[in-house]
Amino acid sequence: MPTPQNNNNQANRNKNLRDKAANKTQQPRVNDRIRAPRVRVVNAKGEQLGILPTREALAKAKEIGLDLVEVAPNADPPVCRVIDYGKYKYMQAKLQKSNKAKVTRMKEVIIRVGTDVNDYNVKMARAEQFLDHGHKVRFRLRFRMRENAHKELGLEKMAQVQEDLKTMGQVDQAAKLAGNTVIMVMAPLPAAQRVKKFKKYEEEGFDTESDEFDAKDDVEE
């Protein structure tokens, strides 16, 4: 029968193995280590270059002396950046150190069932900026008049938001219907995995730290 000391030693060894495995999975796949057959490619400026076969994307990166780095492995297809991996690691370490000193706040973005495309894109750009600064984002959708008869449309809208922002954040609180309102909360992905989809809709001079956008329980649309 194993002694308590042996059990403790085995438990410690198992923990060490788990920790090593966790640290290993946190490192992004680079160049030939990328396993997906095709990837969505983003350049160093954050501009999307489209979906390419991984071999073609890797060849393009090598042509200009850069690396292909998988930054959002859970996206479909995975998102890869064409960058200098050495500089990328340095900048991510610097960013993570900076983020530790920041205070995480709850920001709010209000949408409607009938939000037009341009307004929706601007709101998603704001949400991306909040997430990129390490804040959580609460999405609030309130039904008006006849919309109350079709509340499933509100849940569909939240599903669209979740899909559109999946390369920047993950659901922290699933969409929930309460009366005439749907609420959903998203938290930022790790800095190394964030890729903006709505960058071109960002407003010049937009202040992500402004109290104006803090979530308030008594917000009116």
Side-chain angles (χ1 to χ4, degrees), residues 5-159:
Q5 183 176 359
N6 288 338
N7 287 336
N8 289 337
N9 290 339
Q10 184 61 45
N12 289 334
R13 283 195 291 270
N14 291 340
K15 182 179 183 302
N16 290 335
L17 289 173
R18 288 195 300 270
D19 290 343
K20 288 180 180 179
N23 291 333
K24 186 176 181 180
T25 57
Q26 289 174 0
Q27 298 299 319
R29 296 189 182 98
V30 182
N31 297 329
D32 295 326
R33 292 178 55 210
I34 298 171
R35 300 171 184 170
R38 62 193 186 106
V39 293
R40 185 180 300 278
V41 184
V42 180
N43 66 16
K45 296 180 180 179
E47 299 168 339
Q48 295 205 30
L49 305 182
I51 297 174
L52 300 173
T54 303
R55 288 184 179 180
E56 181 179 341
L58 180 55
K60 287 181 178 292
K62 289 183 176 180
E63 279 180 11
I64 54 178
L66 295 176
D67 301 296
L68 189 67
V69 181
E70 187 181 60
V71 295
N74 295 326
D76 184 21
V79 179
C80 292
R81 281 186 185 273
V82 177
I83 45 177
D84 181 320
Y85 183 52
K87 289 183 179 179
Y88 172 79
K89 287 197 297 183
Y90 170 76
M91 292 305 296
Q92 290 303 320
K94 187 175 180 181
L95 182 62
Q96 288 175 3
K97 183 177 180 180
S98 174
N99 284 342
K100 287 180 181 179
K102 293 182 179 179
V103 177
T104 298
R105 294 158 71 180
M106 180 74 77
K107 297 296 182 175
E108 184 160 76
V109 172
I110 298 173
I111 58 177
R112 304 182 192 280
V113 170
T115 298
D116 66 61
V117 174
N118 185 67
D119 190 31
Y120 176 83
N121 289 340
V122 171
K123 288 178 182 291
M124 292 304 100
R126 286 183 177 182
E128 286 187 336
Q129 288 175 280
F130 292 142
L131 292 166
D132 202 31
H133 280 74
H135 300 311
K136 291 186 177 183
V137 182
R138 183 170 72 186
F139 296 90
R140 180 193 292 265
L141 185 151
R142 186 169 293 156
F143 299 103
R144 287 184 163 189
M145 301 174 67
R146 296 180 182 178
E147 293 173 354
N148 282 285
H150 302 282
K151 290 182 177 177
E152 73 279 0
L153 297 179
L155 296 174
E156 290 176 6
K157 199 71 175 181
M158 287 301 186

Side-chain angles (χ1 to χ4, degrees), residues 111 120 124 139 141 151-166 169 171 173-176 182-186 197:
I111 58 177
Y120 176 83
M124 292 304 100
F139 296 90
L141 185 151
K151 290 182 177 177
E152 73 279 0
L153 297 179
L155 296 174
E156 290 176 6
K157 199 71 175 181
M158 287 301 186
Q160 179 185 352
V161 170
Q162 180 183 342
E163 176 66 20
D164 283 338
L165 297 179
K166 67 182 180 182
V171 173
Q173 177 184 316
K176 183 179 180 181
V182 180
I183 297 291
M184 179 177 73
V185 177
M186 294 189 72
K197 178 180 177 181

